[in-house]
Amino acid sequence: MIESMETSAMSKLVIITGMSGAGKTIAVQSLEDLGFFCVDNLPPVLIPKFAELIEQSKGKIAKVALVIDLRGREFFTALSESLNYIRDHYTISCEILFLDATDSVLVRRYKESRRRHPLTPDGMPLDGIRMERKLLEDLKGWANQVIDTSNLKPAQLKDRIISRFMQSDQHLMSINVTSFGFKYGVPIDADLIFDVRFLPNPHYVEQLRPRTGQDQDVYDYVMKWPETQQFLTKLLDMLNYLIPQYHKEGKSQVVIGIGCTGGKHRSVAIAEYIGRMIGASDTESVRISHRDAERDRH
């Protein structure tokens, strides 16, 4: 991984990359809203020249985002060499944001947009997606931040990116608490996953079934059990220990996933409670989201 070097006076360079169709355009628009100077599709070999311009601007260009699409192994090598050169020769904080999504979601997006995959313009989109994923495998391992956009609406992705990069400027730990349903898959960008399927399930209470954990009666049902209170006491104790350790290690964001079967009742209520409790501290910025709460709602 290219290590980011955080100081208050340091210019910031964000490399936006990842799978084609995973949301790089939305990422650029989000960073532009935060005052980043953005350049799309810059060849990696030109990154050191761009870093030189940032340094010579003497603070006039303090936040820059570059969209890099890898089309071959030589691009990967050039990007590696360029970022290492910046690390060794400039006082610029470098960070890689990698956007990902499942193959099935990417295929659907290509079909909806009627676009061809850039790696296989005359072939099937899935062939290009698999080829691109293989090319980007090493780069994904370098990334400071990986966001899976498979289940994110454009507004939700924008919110995640703004939260991430706004808070890094303010030197606060950004914490995202998200509920999800295991039957829809585990969020791949979560740092911590907690399974609350052992708690009594409001799904089996007829009047509660169509509601979510954000509704007061469902929330109260989940919270009333002794095992819920015991779990929350132990979980908060763990998080109160872990979060300062992450902060001390230099991590600027933590994603906490709370999962139940469908992501509608128990996980939503627990995520709401945990988010509010952590958010009581003025040393962290907390956002609560519910990935699957509105699925199959009836």
Side-chain angles (χ1 to χ4, degrees):
M1 180 192 292
I2 302 299
E3 295 183 2
S4 59
M5 302 166 287
E6 303 285 348
T7 70
S8 58
M10 192 176 293
S11 297
K12 189 170 191 64
L13 174 63
V14 177
I15 305 295
I16 304 171
T17 189
M19 298 295 294
S20 300
K24 292 192 285 291
T25 299
I26 295 171
V28 170
Q29 294 170 348
S30 303
L31 291 175
E32 284 179 339
D33 290 345
L34 291 177
F36 278 75
F37 180 78
C38 299
V39 179
D40 194 6
N41 205 23
L42 184 76
V45 293
L46 296 182
I47 293 177
K49 271 294 182 187
F50 213 90
E52 183 179 344
L53 292 174
I54 295 172
E55 290 253 313
Q56 291 175 352
S57 75
K58 297 181 180 180
K60 293 181 180 179
I61 304 177
K63 298 188 294 184
V64 176
L66 306 177
V67 180
I68 305 294
D69 289 325
L70 301 188
R71 298 290 181 244
R73 193 69 191 182
E74 67 278 4
F75 275 66
F76 174 81
T77 303
L79 179 60
S80 171
E81 292 175 350
S82 295
L83 293 179
N84 284 325
Y85 183 87
I86 291 174
R87 182 189 61 189
D88 295 336
H89 294 85
Y90 297 104
T91 56
I92 296 175
S93 169
C94 296
E95 184 164 344
I96 298 176
L97 170 64
F98 190 100
L99 300 177
D100 201 357
T102 63
D103 289 357
S104 60
V105 168
L106 292 174
V107 169
R108 188 187 74 231
R109 290 175 182 174
Y110 271 102
K111 287 182 178 293
E112 290 174 350
S113 66
R114 299 185 180 180
R115 292 175 55 229
R116 299 179 179 181
H117 194 281
L119 292 185
T120 54
D122 299 321
M124 301 293 288
L126 184 58
D127 294 334
I129 290 167
R130 288 171 174 169
M131 188 184 307
E132 184 177 35
R133 193 176 297 284
K134 186 174 182 180
L135 283 170
L136 294 174
E137 185 177 4
D138 291 339
L139 180 57
K140 184 178 179 180
W142 284 8
N144 302 81
Q145 174 74 16
V146 177
I147 298 180
D148 178 12
T149 69
S150 302
N151 296 298
L152 294 180
K153 297 177 181 178
Q156 292 173 318
L157 174 58
K158 183 175 182 178
D159 188 58
R160 287 282 296 274
I161 292 172
I162 288 176
S163 171
R164 170 71 179 90
F165 291 99
M166 179 187 295
Q167 298 308 329
S168 63
D169 288 343
Q170 298 174 4
H171 303 286
L172 295 177
M173 168 74 87
S174 177
I175 299 174
N176 288 280
V177 183
T178 182
S179 66
F180 69 93
F182 277 99
K183 72 178 183 178
Y184 301 116
V186 175
I188 64 171
D189 49 353
D191 299 290
L192 300 167
I193 294 286
F194 297 99
D195 184 350
V196 298
R197 286 176 292 186
F198 67 93
L199 297 177
N201 193 350
H203 175 81
Y204 297 109
V205 180
E206 186 173 353
Q207 65 268 30
L208 301 181
R209 186 175 303 156
R211 299 176 178 271
T212 78
Q214 290 181 291
D215 294 305
Q216 191 64 47
D217 49 357
V218 176
Y219 181 89
D220 291 342
Y221 180 90
V222 174
M223 292 297 162
K224 73 178 183 178
W225 307 99
E227 52 264 55
T228 302
Q229 294 304 313
Q230 187 176 13
F231 169 73
L232 290 173
T233 298
K234 293 178 181 295
L235 178 56
L236 282 173
D237 186 50
M238 180 191 300
L239 294 175
N240 286 333
Y241 170 76
L242 288 175
I243 290 171
Q245 302 304 315
Y246 285 135
H247 208 167
K248 185 166 60 175
E249 192 264 343
K251 197 171 179 65
S252 57
Q253 184 185 52
V254 174
V255 180
I256 301 170
I258 309 292
C260 64
T261 304
K264 185 175 177 181
H265 299 119
R266 294 166 292 182
S267 61
V268 172
I270 298 298
E272 287 285 333
Y273 178 86
I274 292 296
R276 286 199 295 266
M277 294 301 292
I278 298 175
S281 167
D282 59 3
T283 59
E284 288 90 31
S285 173
V286 178
R287 288 175 181 262
I288 306 169
S289 61
H290 305 294
R291 192 189 75 180
D292 302 320
E294 297 301 320
R295 288 181 185 254
D296 303 324
R297 188 167 183 177
H298 57 272

